[in-house]
Amino acid sequence: MAQIINGKQMATDIQDDLRKEVQQFVAAGNRAPHLTAILVGEDPASERYVKNKVIACKDVGLSSETIVLPAATTQEELLQLIEEKNSDDNVNGVLVQLPVPEHIDERTICNAISVDKDVDGFNELNIGRLALDMTGIVPATPLGIKTMLERSNISTFGRNAVVVGRSKNVSLPLAILLSSDGRNATKALDATVTICHRFTPPKELAKYCRLADIIVVAVGKPGLITKDMVKPGACVIDVGITKVMDEAGQVKLVGDVDFDEVRQVAGHITPVPGGVGPMTVAMLMHNTIQAAKMQARCAKRNH
Amino acid sequence: MAQIINGKQMATDIQDDLRKEVQQFVAAGNRAPHLTAILVGEDPASERYVKNKVIACKDVGLSSETIVLPAATTQEELLQLIEEKNSDDNVNGVLVQLPVPEHIDERTICNAISVDKDVDGFNELNIGRLALDMTGIVPATPLGIKTMLERSNISTFGRNAVVVGRSKNVSLPLAILLSSDGRNATKALDATVTICHRFTPPKELAKYCRLADIIVVAVGKPGLITKDMVKPGACVIDVGITKVMDEAGQVKLVGDVDFDEVRQVAGHITPVPGGVGPMTVAMLMHNTIQAAKMQARCAKRNH
């Protein structure tokens, strides 16, 4: 029976450490790091995500503000607000909760956030730096998964990993972190990595999964990963999160992995909810603190 | 017996088309695109590469200059020269031939070349854009391999590909181009892609190669890919290039593939030399022309 990786507990532990880091930072004469979250329109899921981020900020001792803009906000107006926050020395991290309404170009928004305040790590320059194994801000979900593997002592060096999905916010950065050289600045994981996606035939997906010591799935298809696709003892990380109705008519959240079946063969498995989700939030806190520290160092140098 | 993909002929055909493109561009009232190549120190291989690029420029009708700096040139001096070329409207493309001497930081140099003149596509911003499937300048070797696959009618959609190596100039950009979504701006190839590298155990490397419809190897280890590792009918692209002494005491260039053996099972194979090499040069020409066209459009808009 697989060991369940308790993402919630791990995130709590990490946030305990981050709280101390913030206290030291403040004790050294700095303001508490400040995160600005911008939400455009009314989407219940987005509102819940932002609320969780604000709770985490309080927990670790960051100050935060949530700016809610009407759905009809123009791209120009949003860009102007971002520019304001970019040049406000009291703001250390800026994020725009995705998705944005359709009349706004997501990529333009991600690139508008100044690279040193881009705590989501979605700016094209941060993605480029990650691809080159350079110091930068790493998107929170892949960073959270890397941290989970490390904290669970899952060996990755020279092991086989599969990433199912090819999103630019999760799967691609994760594939880069899994496959790249551990001796470089990102301390990557040196695994052999296969990227599967919507056009990978099901038979091939199963074949690659069965070869894998680590399977990470991030597509949003409940039940995609079944027991027969998992090598005994493999580590299975489930990034999927889909709302479904259970037999009793209750809404619940499920991942992409058939959890009850797969846990019988896997060596490690993450639950949904309580797996990757809380780690993402903890890593956002980490990124905001690192951004604030870097900005403080730069400000000192420029004096 | 495998069909040999004649990279030299393909590059000649492409350069014929590019020559016409340049003629039209000039006929429309523009200057011929201009490439500046900078070489630091005396390295026979680098000198040969730059010379081939200059010959190709002449062939397609580009103007070019080669600036050779002494090995003792400081990073500051090199950066100053790049800055000069960045702001010179008569220069459309700038490349610094790698490797640079050890006292110069390669990454700093690559990032210093202005993103719209970065015809090698090594600037962190161009790498980020490629990772995000956005329009930008794609490094010449991976672009050359993609073009080879397309011109040879090798099917990639939903097929299995292996990239052996994880260099940032060839393998990673290629893995991104192979795996990403063909509906986006980079018109990527929608394959399932496995990235193998120095820490992939030999047995696992063989296993992944045998699953592959397309194998691209770029590590510089002669004889790494043998017959038993290749699925009958697979397409094998050899990016390796190593100088060896043959039995007669003659120096010759060989790739990473055991050509004579592998060609007996593969469906397609590229030779070394005369495979990927000439395609890289042709794609550099392509990139320079595209850069010049983009700059001309921007200049017009700004008038």
Side-chain angles (χ1 to χ4, degrees), chain A residues 30 89 292-303:
Chain A
N30 301 287
D89 287 343
K293 287 187 157 181
M294 202 183 62
Q295 289 158 30
R297 277 197 299 275
C298 288
K300 222 175 241 171
R301 259 208 303 277
N302 294 340
H303 262 286

Side-chain angles (χ1 to χ4, degrees), chain B residues 251-271:
Chain B
V251 170
K252 60 171 193 172
L253 296 174
V254 297
D256 294 336
V257 175
D258 187 335
F259 185 82
D260 291 328
E261 268 207 359
V262 170
R263 68 185 296 199
Q264 296 167 27
V265 291
H268 290 80
I269 191 167
T270 65

